[in-house]
Amino acid sequence: MREAMGATLRKLMALEDEGLLIPRTRIAKIKNPWRVSDGTAFVAELLTGAVPVGEGDNNWETLLLARKRTGVGLSDLIQAVREEQISVGQRMGGTGFHGIVVQNSQVDLLAPLRPKPSIPNEVLSPGEISAAEFGRTVGLRDHGNFIALVKAGQTPALQHMHPRTKRVQYRLSAEDISSFHRRFVTLTTLIEETGYHRNTLKTLLAAARVNRFSPDGHDFGPVYLREESVKALK
């Protein structure tokens, strides 16, 4: 995983701590708890549109250095990248996550101008994950698909105001996650549950005429009803 992403173990753990990289298991004995596909997709997403940056250009810094220097969390930095509030560069000579850099001056604009009052623990919603991040963990790379599923009332989620950006986000509790898995599957979750190859699963689902979940023609991406899918795989 570290080689695939171009990241040290410390960086992987930092991403996990902020809910940006979700391990496939919490079993301590597993040496590589993260999915390689999640890590490489995460890096590829951040590098989309990245500009080349010279090795000696001090106007750019890595995400972890930006966090350490300004106190802006990794999750906030990544969100700013996704919303195109800050630019992304790829350091020449650097590969993968280690080569991803952001502009110092743009990060400074995200940093709080003065200390902010502490936020009560209940507002931080511990143990929850954003809808966009959860969507990626189940193979829905277009985060709009999963959020559309939530907005349509097909799977539960909690509306949550981000404490810094003040933007409304959807977040999932452990029960919300369980509720999704009880009703739906994706190719990613089926691979984990059955061990079958992706192409094998596609063939079996097609043979049983199991279609994507699309009530009234709404497209939520590659999401299937669990009940129909499980029958097709027996």
Side-chain angles (χ1 to χ4, degrees):
M1 179 64 161
R2 282 178 280 176
E3 292 182 2
M5 279 189 66
T8 63
L9 179 59
R10 182 174 68 87
K11 291 176 180 177
L12 288 179
M13 294 181 69
L15 292 171
E16 179 186 339
D17 288 343
E18 296 209 26
L20 295 167
L21 195 62
I22 310 302
R24 57 187 170 85
T25 179
R26 297 289 182 180
I27 300 175
K29 293 183 179 180
I30 302 297
K31 293 183 178 180
N32 297 299
W34 300 282
R35 296 187 192 91
V36 173
S37 59
D38 285 347
T40 54
F42 178 72
V43 170
E45 177 194 4
L46 294 182
L47 286 175
T48 301
V51 299
V53 176
E55 292 186 34
D57 191 337
N58 294 324
N59 294 315
W60 298 75
E61 60 191 344
T62 65
L63 290 166
L64 263 66
L65 284 177
R67 180 182 70 168
K68 182 177 181 180
R69 182 176 65 83
T70 65
V72 178
L74 279 178
S75 58
D76 289 331
L77 290 170
I78 298 300
Q79 184 69 19
V81 169
R82 288 170 175 158
E83 295 178 356
E84 299 183 352
Q85 294 180 18
I86 58 177
S87 304
V88 177
Q90 183 171 20
R91 182 82 70 182
M92 295 176 64
T95 59
F97 185 78
H98 182 68
I100 296 173
V101 289
V102 289
Q103 276 193 325
N104 305 354
S105 58
Q106 293 179 341
V107 173
D108 289 341
L109 297 177
L110 297 176
L113 298 178
R114 58 181 180 274
K116 294 188 176 182
S118 60
I119 301 168
N121 290 335
E122 60 268 20
V123 177
L124 294 176
S125 303
E128 294 181 349
I129 179 175
S130 73
E133 290 299 329
F134 176 73
R136 278 188 286 275
T137 69
V138 296
L140 301 178
R141 301 302 177 191
D142 181 351
H143 68 273
N145 285 334
F146 186 76
I147 292 176
L149 197 68
V150 170
K151 288 183 176 180
Q154 299 294 346
T155 194
L158 173 69
Q159 279 195 347
H160 171 82
M161 180 174 288
H162 193 285
R164 287 186 178 173
T165 65
K166 303 303 181 184
R167 295 186 179 186
V168 174
Q169 297 178 329
Y170 288 100
R171 300 186 67 82
L172 279 73
S173 66
E175 178 54 35
D176 293 334
I177 292 172
S178 296
S179 179
F180 171 83
H181 287 301
R182 284 195 298 268
R183 188 181 183 197
F184 298 109
V185 296
T186 65
L187 290 176
T188 296
T189 62
L190 284 175
I191 289 171
E192 293 178 0
E193 292 180 20
T194 66
Y196 290 162
H197 189 276
R198 180 178 296 268
N199 291 338
T200 301
L201 290 169
K202 287 182 177 180
T203 300
L204 292 172
L205 293 175
R209 297 183 179 180
V210 176
N211 298 316
R212 293 183 177 188
F213 178 69
S214 56
D216 300 322
H218 293 294
D219 183 12
F220 299 115
V223 179
Y224 305 85
L225 287 173
R226 172 174 288 279
E227 184 177 2
E228 294 179 356
S229 302
V230 170
K231 288 180 180 178
L233 302 181
K234 288 183 178 179

Short mmCIF file of all heavy atoms in Angstrom, two decimals, residues 135-195:
data_model
loop_
_atom_site.label_atom_id
_atom_site.label_comp_id
_atom_site.label_asym_id
_atom_site.label_seq_id
_atom_site.Cartn_x
_atom_site.Cartn_y
_atom_site.Cartn_z
N GLY A 135 -18.88 6.76 0.34
CA GLY A 135 -19.15 6.33 -1.03
C GLY A 135 -17.92 5.76 -1.70
O GLY A 135 -17.99 4.74 -2.39
N ARG A 136 -16.77 6.40 -1.46
CA ARG A 136 -15.54 5.89 -2.07
C ARG A 136 -15.14 4.53 -1.49
O ARG A 136 -14.60 3.69 -2.20
CB ARG A 136 -14.40 6.90 -1.87
CG ARG A 136 -14.42 8.02 -2.89
CD ARG A 136 -13.16 8.88 -2.78
NE ARG A 136 -13.21 9.73 -1.61
CZ ARG A 136 -13.80 10.92 -1.58
NH1 ARG A 136 -14.40 11.38 -2.65
NH2 ARG A 136 -13.79 11.65 -0.49
N THR A 137 -15.42 4.30 -0.21
CA THR A 137 -15.03 3.02 0.39
C THR A 137 -15.82 1.85 -0.18
O THR A 137 -15.37 0.71 -0.13
CB THR A 137 -15.21 3.02 1.93
OG1 THR A 137 -16.60 3.07 2.26
CG2 THR A 137 -14.48 4.19 2.56
N VAL A 138 -17.01 2.13 -0.73
CA VAL A 138 -17.81 1.05 -1.31
C VAL A 138 -17.75 1.08 -2.84
O VAL A 138 -18.55 0.43 -3.51
CB VAL A 138 -19.29 1.11 -0.83
CG1 VAL A 138 -19.36 0.87 0.66
CG2 VAL A 138 -19.95 2.43 -1.21
N GLY A 139 -16.80 1.83 -3.37
CA GLY A 139 -16.57 1.80 -4.81
C GLY A 139 -17.32 2.83 -5.62
O GLY A 139 -17.27 2.80 -6.85
N LEU A 140 -18.02 3.75 -4.97
CA LEU A 140 -18.73 4.80 -5.70
C LEU A 140 -17.82 6.01 -5.80
O LEU A 140 -17.86 6.92 -4.97
CB LEU A 140 -20.04 5.15 -4.99
CG LEU A 140 -21.02 3.98 -4.80
CD1 LEU A 140 -22.26 4.44 -4.05
CD2 LEU A 140 -21.40 3.38 -6.14
N ARG A 141 -16.96 6.01 -6.81
CA ARG A 141 -15.93 7.05 -6.94
C ARG A 141 -16.53 8.41 -7.23
O ARG A 141 -15.96 9.43 -6.86
CB ARG A 141 -14.95 6.67 -8.06
CG ARG A 141 -14.25 5.34 -7.83
CD ARG A 141 -13.49 5.35 -6.52
NE ARG A 141 -12.87 4.07 -6.25
CZ ARG A 141 -12.32 3.74 -5.09
NH1 ARG A 141 -12.33 4.61 -4.10
NH2 ARG A 141 -11.79 2.56 -4.91
N ASP A 142 -17.66 8.44 -7.92
CA ASP A 142 -18.36 9.71 -8.13
C ASP A 142 -19.18 9.97 -6.88
O ASP A 142 -20.25 9.39 -6.68
CB ASP A 142 -19.26 9.62 -9.36
CG ASP A 142 -19.99 10.93 -9.64
OD1 ASP A 142 -19.93 11.84 -8.79
OD2 ASP A 142 -20.63 11.03 -10.70
N HIS A 143 -18.66 10.84 -5.98
CA HIS A 143 -19.32 11.01 -4.68
C HIS A 143 -20.74 11.53 -4.81
O HIS A 143 -21.54 11.39 -3.91
CB HIS A 143 -18.50 11.94 -3.78
CG HIS A 143 -18.45 13.37 -4.24
ND1 HIS A 143 -17.51 13.82 -5.13
CD2 HIS A 143 -19.22 14.43 -3.93
CE1 HIS A 143 -17.70 15.10 -5.35
NE2 HIS A 143 -18.72 15.51 -4.64
N GLY A 144 -21.08 12.10 -5.98
CA GLY A 144 -22.44 12.57 -6.18
C GLY A 144 -23.45 11.44 -6.21
O GLY A 144 -24.63 11.65 -5.87
N ASN A 145 -23.02 10.24 -6.60
CA ASN A 145 -23.94 9.10 -6.65
C ASN A 145 -24.47 8.75 -5.27
O ASN A 145 -25.68 8.58 -5.07
CB ASN A 145 -23.23 7.87 -7.24
CG ASN A 145 -23.06 7.97 -8.74
OD1 ASN A 145 -23.82 8.65 -9.42
ND2 ASN A 145 -22.05 7.30 -9.27
N PHE A 146 -23.57 8.64 -4.31
CA PHE A 146 -24.02 8.24 -2.97
C PHE A 146 -24.83 9.35 -2.31
O PHE A 146 -25.83 9.09 -1.64
CB PHE A 146 -22.83 7.86 -2.09
CG PHE A 146 -23.26 7.31 -0.76
CD1 PHE A 146 -23.74 6.02 -0.65
CD2 PHE A 146 -23.22 8.11 0.37
CE1 PHE A 146 -24.17 5.52 0.58
CE2 PHE A 146 -23.65 7.62 1.60
CZ PHE A 146 -24.12 6.32 1.70
N ILE A 147 -24.40 10.59 -2.49
CA ILE A 147 -25.14 11.70 -1.91
C ILE A 147 -26.54 11.79 -2.51
O ILE A 147 -27.52 12.09 -1.82
CB ILE A 147 -24.37 13.02 -2.11
CG1 ILE A 147 -23.09 12.99 -1.26
CG2 ILE A 147 -25.23 14.22 -1.72
CD1 ILE A 147 -22.19 14.18 -1.44
N ALA A 148 -26.66 11.49 -3.81
CA ALA A 148 -27.98 11.47 -4.45
C ALA A 148 -28.85 10.39 -3.83
O ALA A 148 -30.06 10.58 -3.64
CB ALA A 148 -27.82 11.23 -5.95
N LEU A 149 -28.25 9.26 -3.48
CA LEU A 149 -28.98 8.16 -2.84
C LEU A 149 -29.50 8.61 -1.48
O LEU A 149 -30.64 8.30 -1.10
CB LEU A 149 -28.05 6.95 -2.69
CG LEU A 149 -28.68 5.59 -2.41
CD1 LEU A 149 -29.47 5.10 -3.62
CD2 LEU A 149 -27.60 4.57 -2.04
N VAL A 150 -28.68 9.37 -0.77
CA VAL A 150 -29.08 9.89 0.54
C VAL A 150 -30.21 10.91 0.39
O VAL A 150 -31.23 10.86 1.09
CB VAL A 150 -27.88 10.54 1.26
CG1 VAL A 150 -28.33 11.29 2.51
CG2 VAL A 150 -26.85 9.48 1.63
N LYS A 151 -30.03 11.84 -0.54
CA LYS A 151 -31.03 12.90 -0.73
C LYS A 151 -32.38 12.34 -1.17
O LYS A 151 -33.42 12.93 -0.89
CB LYS A 151 -30.52 13.92 -1.75
CG LYS A 151 -29.39 14.80 -1.24
CD LYS A 151 -28.98 15.83 -2.27
CE LYS A 151 -27.93 16.78 -1.72
NZ LYS A 151 -27.52 17.80 -2.72
N ALA A 152 -32.34 11.20 -1.86
CA ALA A 152 -33.59 10.58 -2.31
C ALA A 152 -34.27 9.80 -1.19
O ALA A 152 -35.35 9.25 -1.39
CB ALA A 152 -33.31 9.65 -3.49
N GLY A 153 -33.62 9.74 -0.03
CA GLY A 153 -34.21 9.04 1.11
C GLY A 153 -34.09 7.53 1.04
O GLY A 153 -34.77 6.82 1.77
N GLN A 154 -33.16 7.03 0.20
CA GLN A 154 -33.01 5.59 0.03
C GLN A 154 -32.09 4.97 1.07
O GLN A 154 -32.13 3.76 1.30
CB GLN A 154 -32.48 5.28 -1.38
CG GLN A 154 -33.39 5.74 -2.51
CD GLN A 154 -34.70 4.98 -2.55
OE1 GLN A 154 -34.86 3.94 -1.90
NE2 GLN A 154 -35.67 5.50 -3.29
N THR A 155 -31.24 5.78 1.69
CA THR A 155 -30.36 5.28 2.75
C THR A 155 -30.15 6.42 3.74
O THR A 155 -30.08 7.59 3.33
CB THR A 155 -29.02 4.78 2.16
OG1 THR A 155 -28.30 4.03 3.15
CG2 THR A 155 -28.16 5.92 1.66
N PRO A 156 -30.09 6.13 5.03
CA PRO A 156 -30.05 7.21 6.03
C PRO A 156 -28.69 7.88 6.17
O PRO A 156 -27.64 7.28 5.91
CB PRO A 156 -30.42 6.47 7.33
CG PRO A 156 -29.93 5.07 7.10
CD PRO A 156 -30.17 4.79 5.65
N ALA A 157 -28.72 9.13 6.56
CA ALA A 157 -27.51 9.90 6.86
C ALA A 157 -27.93 11.10 7.70
O ALA A 157 -29.10 11.47 7.75
CB ALA A 157 -26.82 10.35 5.58
N LEU A 158 -26.95 11.70 8.33
CA LEU A 158 -27.20 12.84 9.21
C LEU A 158 -26.67 14.11 8.56
O LEU A 158 -25.55 14.14 8.06
CB LEU A 158 -26.49 12.63 10.55
CG LEU A 158 -26.51 13.79 11.54
CD1 LEU A 158 -27.91 14.00 12.08
CD2 LEU A 158 -25.53 13.52 12.69
N GLN A 159 -27.50 15.15 8.55
CA GLN A 159 -27.02 16.45 8.08
C GLN A 159 -26.17 17.07 9.17
O GLN A 159 -26.57 17.13 10.33
CB GLN A 159 -28.19 17.36 7.73
CG GLN A 159 -28.79 17.10 6.37
CD GLN A 159 -29.69 18.23 5.91
OE1 GLN A 159 -30.06 19.10 6.69
NE2 GLN A 159 -30.05 18.23 4.65
N HIS A 160 -25.00 17.54 8.78
CA HIS A 160 -24.03 18.02 9.76
C HIS A 160 -23.38 19.29 9.22
O HIS A 160 -22.97 19.34 8.07
CB HIS A 160 -22.97 16.93 9.98
CG HIS A 160 -21.79 17.37 10.80
ND1 HIS A 160 -21.82 17.40 12.17
CD2 HIS A 160 -20.55 17.77 10.44
CE1 HIS A 160 -20.64 17.80 12.61
NE2 HIS A 160 -19.86 18.04 11.58
N MET A 161 -23.30 20.32 10.04
CA MET A 161 -22.64 21.55 9.61
C MET A 161 -21.16 21.48 9.95
O MET A 161 -20.78 21.25 11.10
CB MET A 161 -23.25 22.78 10.28
CG MET A 161 -22.59 24.09 9.85
SD MET A 161 -23.41 25.56 10.49
CE MET A 161 -24.90 25.56 9.51
N HIS A 162 -20.32 21.63 8.92
CA HIS A 162 -18.88 21.59 9.14
C HIS A 162 -18.49 22.74 10.07
O HIS A 162 -18.85 23.90 9.83
CB HIS A 162 -18.14 21.73 7.81
CG HIS A 162 -16.69 21.40 7.89
ND1 HIS A 162 -15.77 22.25 8.46
CD2 HIS A 162 -16.00 20.30 7.50
CE1 HIS A 162 -14.57 21.70 8.40
NE2 HIS A 162 -14.68 20.51 7.82
N PRO A 163 -17.76 22.45 11.16
CA PRO A 163 -17.46 23.49 12.16
C PRO A 163 -16.63 24.66 11.64
O PRO A 163 -16.68 25.74 12.20
CB PRO A 163 -16.72 22.72 13.26
CG PRO A 163 -16.19 21.50 12.58
CD PRO A 163 -17.20 21.15 11.53
N ARG A 164 -15.87 24.44 10.56
CA ARG A 164 -15.04 25.53 10.06
C ARG A 164 -15.64 26.21 8.83
O ARG A 164 -15.72 27.43 8.75
CB ARG A 164 -13.64 25.01 9.72
CG ARG A 164 -12.80 24.72 10.96
CD ARG A 164 -11.38 24.33 10.58
NE ARG A 164 -10.56 24.09 11.75
CZ ARG A 164 -9.33 23.61 11.71
NH1 ARG A 164 -8.78 23.32 10.55
NH2 ARG A 164 -8.65 23.42 12.82
N THR A 165 -16.05 25.40 7.85
CA THR A 165 -16.57 25.98 6.61
C THR A 165 -18.02 26.41 6.73
O THR A 165 -18.51 27.18 5.90
CB THR A 165 -16.45 24.98 5.46
OG1 THR A 165 -17.32 23.85 5.72
CG2 THR A 165 -15.02 24.48 5.30
N LYS A 166 -18.72 25.90 7.77
CA LYS A 166 -20.14 26.19 7.99
C LYS A 166 -21.02 25.69 6.85
O LYS A 166 -22.13 26.17 6.66
CB LYS A 166 -20.36 27.71 8.17
CG LYS A 166 -19.55 28.31 9.31
CD LYS A 166 -19.83 27.64 10.64
CE LYS A 166 -19.03 28.26 11.77
NZ LYS A 166 -19.22 27.55 13.06
N ARG A 167 -20.52 24.73 6.11
CA ARG A 167 -21.31 24.15 5.03
C ARG A 167 -21.98 22.87 5.53
O ARG A 167 -21.41 22.11 6.30
CB ARG A 167 -20.42 23.82 3.83
CG ARG A 167 -19.81 25.05 3.17
CD ARG A 167 -19.07 24.68 1.90
NE ARG A 167 -18.51 25.86 1.25
CZ ARG A 167 -17.91 25.84 0.08
NH1 ARG A 167 -17.79 24.70 -0.58
NH2 ARG A 167 -17.43 26.95 -0.45
N VAL A 168 -23.20 22.66 5.05
CA VAL A 168 -23.94 21.46 5.45
C VAL A 168 -23.37 20.26 4.70
O VAL A 168 -23.19 20.30 3.48
CB VAL A 168 -25.44 21.62 5.14
CG1 VAL A 168 -26.18 20.31 5.43
CG2 VAL A 168 -26.03 22.75 5.98
N GLN A 169 -23.06 19.21 5.44
CA GLN A 169 -22.56 17.98 4.87
C GLN A 169 -23.44 16.82 5.33
O GLN A 169 -24.16 16.93 6.32
CB GLN A 169 -21.12 17.70 5.32
CG GLN A 169 -20.11 18.73 4.87
CD GLN A 169 -18.72 18.39 5.40
OE1 GLN A 169 -18.57 17.80 6.46
NE2 GLN A 169 -17.70 18.76 4.64
N TYR A 170 -23.37 15.72 4.61
CA TYR A 170 -24.03 14.50 5.05
C TYR A 170 -22.97 13.60 5.66
O TYR A 170 -21.89 13.40 5.10
CB TYR A 170 -24.70 13.79 3.87
CG TYR A 170 -25.93 14.49 3.37
CD1 TYR A 170 -25.88 15.30 2.24
CD2 TYR A 170 -27.15 14.34 4.02
CE1 TYR A 170 -27.02 15.95 1.78
CE2 TYR A 170 -28.30 14.99 3.57
CZ TYR A 170 -28.22 15.79 2.45
OH TYR A 170 -29.34 16.44 1.99
N ARG A 171 -23.30 13.05 6.84
CA ARG A 171 -22.38 12.15 7.52
C ARG A 171 -23.13 10.89 7.94
O ARG A 171 -24.35 10.92 8.13
CB ARG A 171 -21.75 12.83 8.74
CG ARG A 171 -20.95 14.07 8.38
CD ARG A 171 -20.22 14.63 9.58
NE ARG A 171 -19.17 13.74 10.05
CZ ARG A 171 -17.95 13.67 9.52
NH1 ARG A 171 -17.64 14.43 8.50
NH2 ARG A 171 -17.05 12.85 10.01
N LEU A 172 -22.39 9.79 8.06
CA LEU A 172 -23.01 8.52 8.40
C LEU A 172 -22.51 8.03 9.75
O LEU A 172 -21.30 8.06 10.03
CB LEU A 172 -22.69 7.46 7.34
CG LEU A 172 -23.54 7.48 6.07
CD1 LEU A 172 -23.16 8.66 5.18
CD2 LEU A 172 -23.37 6.18 5.29
N SER A 173 -23.43 7.58 10.57
CA SER A 173 -23.08 6.93 11.82
C SER A 173 -22.85 5.45 11.54
O SER A 173 -23.09 4.96 10.43
CB SER A 173 -24.22 7.09 12.84
OG SER A 173 -25.37 6.38 12.39
N ALA A 174 -22.42 4.71 12.56
CA ALA A 174 -22.21 3.27 12.40
C ALA A 174 -23.51 2.58 12.01
O ALA A 174 -23.52 1.67 11.17
CB ALA A 174 -21.66 2.68 13.69
N GLU A 175 -24.62 3.03 12.58
CA GLU A 175 -25.92 2.43 12.25
C GLU A 175 -26.33 2.76 10.82
O GLU A 175 -26.91 1.93 10.12
CB GLU A 175 -26.99 2.91 13.23
CG GLU A 175 -28.39 2.39 12.94
CD GLU A 175 -28.46 0.87 12.85
OE1 GLU A 175 -27.72 0.18 13.59
OE2 GLU A 175 -29.24 0.36 12.01
N ASP A 176 -26.03 3.98 10.38
CA ASP A 176 -26.34 4.36 8.99
C ASP A 176 -25.56 3.47 8.01
O ASP A 176 -26.10 3.04 6.99
CB ASP A 176 -25.97 5.82 8.74
CG ASP A 176 -26.83 6.79 9.53
OD1 ASP A 176 -27.97 6.42 9.87
OD2 ASP A 176 -26.36 7.91 9.82
N ILE A 177 -24.31 3.22 8.34
CA ILE A 177 -23.47 2.37 7.48
C ILE A 177 -24.04 0.95 7.44
O ILE A 177 -24.14 0.33 6.37
CB ILE A 177 -22.02 2.36 8.00
CG1 ILE A 177 -21.40 3.75 7.80
CG2 ILE A 177 -21.19 1.29 7.29
CD1 ILE A 177 -20.04 3.91 8.44
N SER A 178 -24.42 0.43 8.60
CA SER A 178 -25.01 -0.91 8.66
C SER A 178 -26.30 -0.97 7.86
O SER A 178 -26.58 -1.96 7.17
CB SER A 178 -25.27 -1.31 10.11
OG SER A 178 -24.07 -1.40 10.84
N SER A 179 -27.09 0.09 7.94
CA SER A 179 -28.36 0.14 7.21
C SER A 179 -28.12 0.07 5.71
O SER A 179 -28.84 -0.63 4.99
CB SER A 179 -29.10 1.44 7.56
OG SER A 179 -30.32 1.52 6.85
N PHE A 180 -27.10 0.78 5.23
CA PHE A 180 -26.78 0.72 3.80
C PHE A 180 -26.41 -0.70 3.40
O PHE A 180 -26.91 -1.23 2.40
CB PHE A 180 -25.62 1.67 3.48
CG PHE A 180 -25.10 1.51 2.06
CD1 PHE A 180 -25.73 2.15 1.01
CD2 PHE A 180 -24.00 0.71 1.80
CE1 PHE A 180 -25.26 1.99 -0.30
CE2 PHE A 180 -23.53 0.54 0.51
CZ PHE A 180 -24.17 1.18 -0.55
N HIS A 181 -25.52 -1.33 4.17
CA HIS A 181 -25.06 -2.67 3.82
C HIS A 181 -26.17 -3.71 3.91
O HIS A 181 -26.13 -4.71 3.19
CB HIS A 181 -23.89 -3.07 4.72
CG HIS A 181 -22.61 -2.36 4.40
ND1 HIS A 181 -22.01 -2.44 3.16
CD2 HIS A 181 -21.82 -1.55 5.16
CE1 HIS A 181 -20.90 -1.71 3.16
NE2 HIS A 181 -20.77 -1.16 4.35
N ARG A 182 -27.14 -3.50 4.79
CA ARG A 182 -28.25 -4.44 4.88
C ARG A 182 -29.13 -4.40 3.64
O ARG A 182 -29.72 -5.41 3.25
CB ARG A 182 -29.10 -4.14 6.13
CG ARG A 182 -28.49 -4.59 7.44
CD ARG A 182 -29.52 -4.59 8.56
NE ARG A 182 -30.05 -3.26 8.83
CZ ARG A 182 -29.54 -2.42 9.72
NH1 ARG A 182 -28.48 -2.77 10.43
NH2 ARG A 182 -30.09 -1.23 9.92
N ARG A 183 -29.20 -3.25 3.02
CA ARG A 183 -30.11 -3.10 1.87
C ARG A 183 -29.41 -3.17 0.52
O ARG A 183 -29.97 -3.67 -0.45
CB ARG A 183 -30.86 -1.77 1.98
CG ARG A 183 -31.95 -1.64 0.93
CD ARG A 183 -32.69 -0.31 1.02
NE ARG A 183 -33.77 -0.27 0.05
CZ ARG A 183 -34.38 0.84 -0.35
NH1 ARG A 183 -34.02 2.00 0.17
NH2 ARG A 183 -35.34 0.79 -1.25
N PHE A 184 -28.18 -2.66 0.46
CA PHE A 184 -27.51 -2.53 -0.83
C PHE A 184 -26.16 -3.25 -0.86
O PHE A 184 -25.55 -3.53 0.18
CB PHE A 184 -27.27 -1.05 -1.16
CG PHE A 184 -28.51 -0.23 -1.30
CD1 PHE A 184 -28.85 0.71 -0.33
CD2 PHE A 184 -29.34 -0.38 -2.39
CE1 PHE A 184 -30.00 1.48 -0.45
CE2 PHE A 184 -30.49 0.38 -2.53
CZ PHE A 184 -30.82 1.31 -1.56
N VAL A 185 -25.70 -3.50 -2.08
CA VAL A 185 -24.34 -3.98 -2.31
C VAL A 185 -23.78 -3.22 -3.51
O VAL A 185 -24.52 -2.63 -4.30
CB VAL A 185 -24.28 -5.51 -2.61
CG1 VAL A 185 -24.73 -6.32 -1.41
CG2 VAL A 185 -25.10 -5.85 -3.85
N THR A 186 -22.46 -3.24 -3.63
CA THR A 186 -21.78 -2.74 -4.81
C THR A 186 -20.80 -3.82 -5.23
O THR A 186 -20.58 -4.79 -4.49
CB THR A 186 -21.01 -1.44 -4.52
OG1 THR A 186 -19.96 -1.73 -3.58
CG2 THR A 186 -21.93 -0.37 -3.94
N LEU A 187 -20.19 -3.67 -6.38
CA LEU A 187 -19.20 -4.67 -6.80
C LEU A 187 -18.05 -4.74 -5.80
O LEU A 187 -17.54 -5.82 -5.51
CB LEU A 187 -18.67 -4.33 -8.20
CG LEU A 187 -19.67 -4.51 -9.35
CD1 LEU A 187 -19.05 -4.06 -10.66
CD2 LEU A 187 -20.13 -5.96 -9.45
N THR A 188 -17.67 -3.60 -5.26
CA THR A 188 -16.57 -3.58 -4.28
C THR A 188 -16.93 -4.37 -3.03
O THR A 188 -16.12 -5.17 -2.54
CB THR A 188 -16.24 -2.13 -3.90
OG1 THR A 188 -15.75 -1.44 -5.05
CG2 THR A 188 -15.18 -2.08 -2.81
N THR A 189 -18.13 -4.18 -2.51
CA THR A 189 -18.51 -4.91 -1.29
C THR A 189 -18.73 -6.40 -1.58
O THR A 189 -18.44 -7.25 -0.74
CB THR A 189 -19.77 -4.31 -0.65
OG1 THR A 189 -20.89 -4.42 -1.55
CG2 THR A 189 -19.56 -2.85 -0.30
N LEU A 190 -19.22 -6.71 -2.78
CA LEU A 190 -19.41 -8.12 -3.14
C LEU A 190 -18.08 -8.84 -3.29
O LEU A 190 -17.95 -10.02 -2.93
CB LEU A 190 -20.21 -8.23 -4.43
CG LEU A 190 -21.72 -7.98 -4.33
CD1 LEU A 190 -22.37 -8.01 -5.71
CD2 LEU A 190 -22.38 -9.00 -3.40
N ILE A 191 -17.09 -8.16 -3.82
CA ILE A 191 -15.75 -8.75 -3.94
C ILE A 191 -15.22 -9.13 -2.56
O ILE A 191 -14.67 -10.21 -2.35
CB ILE A 191 -14.79 -7.77 -4.64
CG1 ILE A 191 -15.14 -7.65 -6.12
CG2 ILE A 191 -13.34 -8.24 -4.49
CD1 ILE A 191 -14.39 -6.55 -6.85
N GLU A 192 -15.42 -8.23 -1.60
CA GLU A 192 -14.95 -8.49 -0.24
C GLU A 192 -15.72 -9.63 0.41
O GLU A 192 -15.15 -10.44 1.14
CB GLU A 192 -15.08 -7.23 0.61
CG GLU A 192 -14.17 -6.10 0.17
CD GLU A 192 -14.37 -4.86 1.01
OE1 GLU A 192 -15.22 -4.88 1.92
OE2 GLU A 192 -13.67 -3.87 0.77
N GLU A 193 -17.02 -9.70 0.15
CA GLU A 193 -17.85 -10.71 0.79
C GLU A 193 -17.69 -12.09 0.17
O GLU A 193 -17.76 -13.10 0.87
CB GLU A 193 -19.33 -10.29 0.72
CG GLU A 193 -19.66 -9.07 1.56
CD GLU A 193 -21.13 -8.69 1.45
OE1 GLU A 193 -21.94 -9.55 1.05
OE2 GLU A 193 -21.47 -7.54 1.76
N THR A 194 -17.50 -12.14 -1.15
CA THR A 194 -17.49 -13.43 -1.84
C THR A 194 -16.11 -13.89 -2.29
O THR A 194 -15.89 -15.09 -2.46
CB THR A 194 -18.40 -13.37 -3.09
OG1 THR A 194 -17.82 -12.45 -4.04
CG2 THR A 194 -19.80 -12.90 -2.72
N GLY A 195 -15.21 -12.95 -2.50
CA GLY A 195 -13.90 -13.30 -3.03
C GLY A 195 -13.89 -13.47 -4.53
O GLY A 195 -12.85 -13.77 -5.12
#
